[in-house]
Amino acid sequence: MYVGEYNSTMLIIVKNTTAHPVAIDGNRLVTTKEDARIHGLGSKNVADAVARYEGLLTYSYDAPWFEVKICM
């Protein structure tokens, strides 16, 4: 994880490996769990907070690496 600040801009980068492919639809994570109604709420809350403060959120997956970048 990286957290930094430059000219009042905060950058957070979280990068980790995963054993399973990550499903990304546009710029939204898609859960692969059976009951999608109760999964993925944390990532939706993060996306809502970033949008509220007019930040940028990107996801990328290049097996086995999954990366989330937030710039606010």
Side-chain angles (χ1 to χ4, degrees), residues 15-23 32 60-67:
K15 187 172 184 177
N16 203 354
T17 58
T18 178
H20 304 286
V22 175
T32 56
S60 62
Y61 175 66
D62 186 16
W65 291 99
F66 172 64
E67 184 175 79

Side-chain angles (χ1 to χ4, degrees), residues 23-54:
I24 302 172
D25 180 16
N27 198 32
R28 190 170 116 321
L29 289 178
V30 179
T31 186
T32 56
K33 295 182 179 173
E34 280 188 34
D35 193 351
R37 294 177 304 128
I38 62 170
H39 294 285
L41 299 177
S43 61
K44 183 183 179 324
N45 288 340
V46 170
D48 290 348
V50 171
R52 184 178 324 118
Y53 293 102
E54 299 177 7

